[in-house]
């Protein structure tokens, strides 16, 4: 697997993680006015292991591992819902998503330059 493919696959995996985080934060914000609502949290440890491997250059099987990723384990916590924390989470997800899409655009730009050359 080339470096470009590894980068694109890692970004795709991270974007999926950010999408799940955004969906959970949106759900938590929507339920904030419900009496006794508990915050939902997701376990992204399987994502993190693969992303760490990609960063360290151990990309063997990254594409296959990504195809086998399950949905994150989402469960309610036994803590009351903190609306400020959820809004902060959503803002953080937006910033992370934006930085990843910029990285993806740079990667595609480099690939385009390699294919068509400089005009």
């Amino acid at each position: 697997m080339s470096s470009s493919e590894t980068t694109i696959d890692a970004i795709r995996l991270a974007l999926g993680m950010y999408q799940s985080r955004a969906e959970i934060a949106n759900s938590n914000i929507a339920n904030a006015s419900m009496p006794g609502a508990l915050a939902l949290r997701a376990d992204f440890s399987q994502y993190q292991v693969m992303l760490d491997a990609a960063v360290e250059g151990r990309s063997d099987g990254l594409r296959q591992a990504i195809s086998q990723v399950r949905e994150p384990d989402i469960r309610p916590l036994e803590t009351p819902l903190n609306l400020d924390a959820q809004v902060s989470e959503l803002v953080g997800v937006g910033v992370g998503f934006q930085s990843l899409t910029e990285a993806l655009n740079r990667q595609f730009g480099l690939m385009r330059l390699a294919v068509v050359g400089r005009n």
Side-chain angles (χ1 to χ4, degrees), residues 11-104:
I11 290 173
R12 184 168 48 115
L13 179 66
L15 286 172
M17 181 179 69
Y18 278 116
Q19 179 182 355
S20 294
R21 287 176 58 193
E23 289 170 355
I24 291 167
N26 280 331
S27 174
N28 286 341
I29 291 169
N31 292 327
S33 64
M34 303 282 289
L38 297 176
L40 295 177
R41 293 280 188 251
D43 177 13
F44 292 104
S45 58
Q46 63 177 335
Y47 289 72
Q48 197 60 51
V49 168
M50 285 182 267
L51 289 171
D52 290 343
V55 167
E56 294 170 3
R58 295 180 287 120
S59 61
D60 300 339
L62 180 63
R63 181 169 286 164
Q64 180 183 3
I66 288 172
S67 68
Q68 297 172 355
V69 169
R70 301 178 322 271
E71 288 295 314
D73 181 25
I74 300 172
R75 65 181 77 166
L77 294 179
E78 298 301 321
T79 58
L81 186 61
N82 181 338
L83 186 57
D84 290 337
Q86 296 307 308
V87 171
S88 175
E89 170 75 4
L90 199 53
V91 169
V93 165
V95 169
F97 190 85
Q98 182 178 3
S99 67
L100 284 172
T101 54
E102 288 173 8
L104 192 58

Side-chain angles (χ1 to χ4, degrees), residues 107-119:
Q107 189 67 31
F108 286 144
L110 290 172
M111 290 170 63
R112 182 179 182 277
L113 239 159
V115 171
V116 298
R118 198 165 216 155
N119 292 332

